[in-house]
Amino acid sequence: MTLSLGPQTRRDSRIDAFLAASPQRLLIGGTWVAAASGATFASHDPATGEHLADCARADSADVDAAVSAARTALTSPAWKGMTPADRGALLWRVADLLEANLDQLAQLETLDQGKAWGTARFGEIPAAIAQFRYYAGYPTKILGTTIPSSLRRQGPDRQVFAYTTREPVGVVAAIVPWNSPLLMAAMKVAPALAAGCTVVLKPAENTSLTAIRLGELLVEAGVPDGVVNVVTGYGPEAGQALADHPDVDKVAFTGSTAVGKRLVTAASGNLKRLTLELGGKSPVIVMGDADLDRTVPGVAAGIFDNGGQVCVAGSRVYAHRDVYAELVDRLAAHSRTLTLGHGLAEGTDLGPLVSRAQSDRVEQFVREAAGDGVDVVSGGEQEGDLCTFYRPTVLTGVTQSMRIMREEVFGPVVTVTPFDEPEEVLAWANDSSYGLAASVWTEGLSNAHRISEGIDSGTVWINCHSYFGPELPKGGHKESGWGYENGANGLENYLETKTVVTVY
Ligand code: NAD
């Protein structure tokens, strides 16, 4: 297997200055500290194996300290006493600082996670910045209601005045995955701060670096001590300690369905609030009247961008028999045009997957499918000396019962299946334990509405895929999660309601 990684032309010295600060530390109560145990773990570039940095390995002692700092900060004058207008201005300042560091953050995300620089620089980091700008508008608009009450228990002359207030839910544990690290962190930290909560952020163990940099920029922006704490470490260690912690009020989790289910048990200890953004197996329905010139690149981007390591990746394509053969040919041809390389090299469309383990997992899915008689139309190979790259892969001849059709691969692998009738394709699309997202490709308004109405998922895109914005609620039906992020729904996750009843 040969793969030319190319020179890392997008890399500049600012990134090396940041990496030179290794070992990276934990942000607890406004101070950067080593793990209490002194333990660290290493972060590597998945494309080259380059050692990037060592990070502090938090365990339950560090989690205790971070939660305690967050609890103290929650009622501190510096945070609780901050006016809503000032809280909004602070969030805007965070956005400005992220923007001033956009190039560096994009490089860091690419090095640590593997993704193509363009995905980070023009997609995910701007989207993370947009989260802070969007939620900066909310602190001044968190409203209660006045309620016309009919209670007259103390007699007809006694009136009741009742109203609600909205209060921060409290200390939030934000636990995020490795596929889009900074964006996933921003989607939790921004609304949590807008609501007046305090946060302990735990990034995924293989992509901690942009969370650490975010912590530095939050401090620089003037976020008071202890309001955001960053603990790097392993899921079963630091993550589990956070989920179990009796002084955490809410867990905001994005990750796999398997870990999400474990967190349901962990949260039951003190009945923590829990939002879960979990896995998916998103169907893509191409109707017979679809404009293939528009559909093919859209469907390809929906599965191949970020190496398919996207929760909403359009991994199950169903194409009407009228366009099926042409779609398969054009999608496979498109997949062969994509350039694999180092994420920071010129011209790279796809970087490596996040790790050898992830690449091996994808390889195992494809091998098993091929063994079951599935046709590998394009791709189906690991690449590179470290085997961390995976060729964009198109599979046909897949049936509904096969594992590749039912489980999340989280790699650049798409199945394409023909259908004849809308009822048939809707049944197949919904035949999944997941219900995260779907897309429909059609030039017909009726098709678009009928299919989008019939699909059981949190998001349906029409003639597009993976369109996100901080204003668009995002969440999963079925085993894809509990609750919604983004928009007003996203803020609700971080608020409690208090009803005040006065008799006068
Ligand atoms: P993961 O569930 O393995 O890990 C996610 C986070 O949970 C990491 O920080 C990890 O350290 C932590 N963790 C692991 N075990 C834990 C435990 N026992 N207690 C507490 N925390 C623990 O997921 P991943 O492999 O990092 O990410 C990929 C998954 O995330 C995919 O399933 C993908 O679909 C999902 N995802 C969902 C969305 C969404 O919005 N629905 C977005 C991105 C990714």
Side-chain angles (χ1 to χ4, degrees):
M1 285 184 279
T2 54
L3 176 76
S4 166
L5 293 180
Q8 296 175 33
T9 49
R10 305 284 191 190
R11 182 169 179 162
D12 67 41
S13 56
R14 283 169 297 176
I15 210 68
D16 294 307
F18 173 81
L19 295 176
S22 178
Q24 300 290 343
R25 290 171 294 166
L26 313 171
L27 178 60
I28 297 180
T31 306
W32 291 94
V33 295
S37 68
T40 59
F41 62 96
S43 206
H44 294 100
D45 175 350
T48 61
E50 175 191 345
H51 174 264
L52 298 172
D54 289 324
C55 301
R57 177 175 167 174
D59 63 19
S60 58
D62 307 294
V63 165
D64 281 347
V67 172
S68 165
R71 176 61 57 193
T72 304
L74 190 64
T75 49
S76 68
W79 184 236
K80 194 170 181 203
M82 189 181 282
T83 66
D86 285 347
R87 212 157 74 239
L90 179 62
L91 284 168
W92 197 271
R93 214 152 51 237
V94 173
D96 285 347
L97 274 173
L98 289 169
E99 197 153 55
N101 288 274
L102 207 166
D103 283 331
Q104 188 206 39
L105 287 163
Q107 289 175 39
L108 202 53
E109 201 78 297
T110 292
L111 274 176
D112 205 16
Q113 200 274 349
K115 65 182 73 252
W117 178 81
T119 304
R121 174 63 180 75
F122 301 107
E124 293 182 11
I125 310 297
I129 296 166
Q131 287 284 331
F132 284 94
R133 292 243 160 82
Y134 178 79
Y135 282 107
Y138 264 110
T140 50
K141 299 168 195 71
I142 296 174
L143 308 176
T145 50
T146 54
I147 303 166
S149 173
S150 301
L151 293 173
R152 294 290 183 272
R153 291 199 190 136
Q154 294 180 24
D157 296 342
R158 293 283 180 187
Q159 303 293 314
V160 171
F161 176 56
Y163 61 94
T164 60
T165 58
R166 309 305 311 279
E167 299 182 346
V169 71
V171 173
V172 173
I175 303 177
V176 298
W178 47 256
N179 60 329
S180 303
L182 186 70
L183 176 56
M184 296 294 131
M187 285 172 74
K188 292 170 173 48
V189 174
L193 297 189
C197 295
T198 57
V199 180
V200 181
L201 170 65
K202 197 208 83 65
E205 41 272 52
N206 35 13
T207 55
S208 304
L209 300 182
T210 48
I212 295 168
R213 189 70 189 113
L214 173 65
E216 291 178 350
L217 294 172
L218 290 166
V219 170
E220 191 178 334
V223 172
D225 293 352
V227 169
V228 180
N229 305 273
V230 181
V231 293
T232 50
Y234 290 97
E237 200 171 23
Q240 189 73 46
L242 266 175
D244 287 334
H245 205 290
D247 214 20
V248 167
D249 299 298
K250 174 190 164 62
V251 174
F253 174 76
T254 301
S256 61
T257 294
V259 173
K261 287 180 178 177
R262 221 169 289 153
L263 297 191
V264 172
T265 309
S268 70
N270 63 336
L271 291 183
K272 291 177 183 67
R273 278 60 183 138
L274 184 60
T275 38
L276 300 171
E277 296 285 330
L278 307 178
K281 191 74 191 167
S282 300
V284 173
I285 298 178
V286 181
M287 302 302 285
D289 64 354
D291 170 1
L292 292 193
D293 289 345
R294 188 178 173 195
T295 303
V296 171
V299 171
I303 181 63
F304 298 137
D305 279 4
N306 206 27
Q309 301 162 116
V310 179
C311 54
V312 296
S315 54
R316 291 187 289 151
V317 174
Y318 298 102
H320 192 274
R321 206 173 293 279
D322 288 351
V323 293
Y324 170 74
E326 187 180 349
L327 184 84
V328 170
D329 285 352
R330 290 177 67 173
L331 195 56
H334 186 103
S335 74
R336 291 187 200 100
T337 66
L338 298 173
T339 303
L340 269 58
H342 194 286
L344 293 179
E346 211 73 43
T348 291
D349 296 307
L350 287 184
L353 301 187
V354 73
S355 63
R356 172 71 190 261
Q358 185 62 18
S359 174
D360 285 350
R361 186 170 178 273
V362 174
E363 169 72 1
Q364 201 188 347
F365 266 106
V366 175
R367 283 301 126 240
E368 183 184 309
D372 289 342
V374 162
D375 292 323
V376 182
V377 184
S378 68
E381 281 173 301
Q382 288 178 309
E383 289 279 6
D385 293 341
L386 303 176
C387 291
T388 46
F389 289 82
Y390 205 84
R391 287 255 165 235
T393 299
V394 177
L395 305 176
T396 58
V398 182
T399 61
Q400 281 296 117
S401 61
M402 288 181 183
R403 201 162 77 92
I404 194 123
M405 189 69 109
R406 310 205 69 80
E407 293 183 22
E408 187 178 41
V409 176
F410 228 53
V413 178
V414 64
T415 63
V416 191
T417 306
F419 73 90
D420 294 297
E421 300 299 332
E423 296 72 28
E424 173 185 47
V425 76
L426 270 177
W428 288 344
N430 288 331
D431 175 23
S432 171
S433 57
Y434 294 114
L436 191 58
S439 63
V440 188
W441 300 78
T442 178
E443 294 300 295
L445 197 59
S446 299
N447 274 339
H449 286 300
R450 285 205 184 108
I451 297 286
S452 66
E453 186 185 79
I455 286 180
D456 189 1
S457 69
T459 299
V460 180
W461 290 290
I462 298 168
N463 291 328
C464 60
H465 199 101
S466 287
Y467 269 45
F468 294 117
E471 69 281 13
L472 303 173
K474 174 180 179 300
H477 295 187
K478 301 195 268 185
E479 293 191 25
S480 289
W482 282 352
Y484 295 83
E485 293 194 309
N486 291 346
N489 304 57
L491 188 74
E492 276 297 316
N493 296 331
Y494 298 95
L495 292 169
E496 293 281 24
T497 297
K498 178 181 282 172
T499 304
V500 182
V501 183
T502 317
V503 177
Y504 66 98

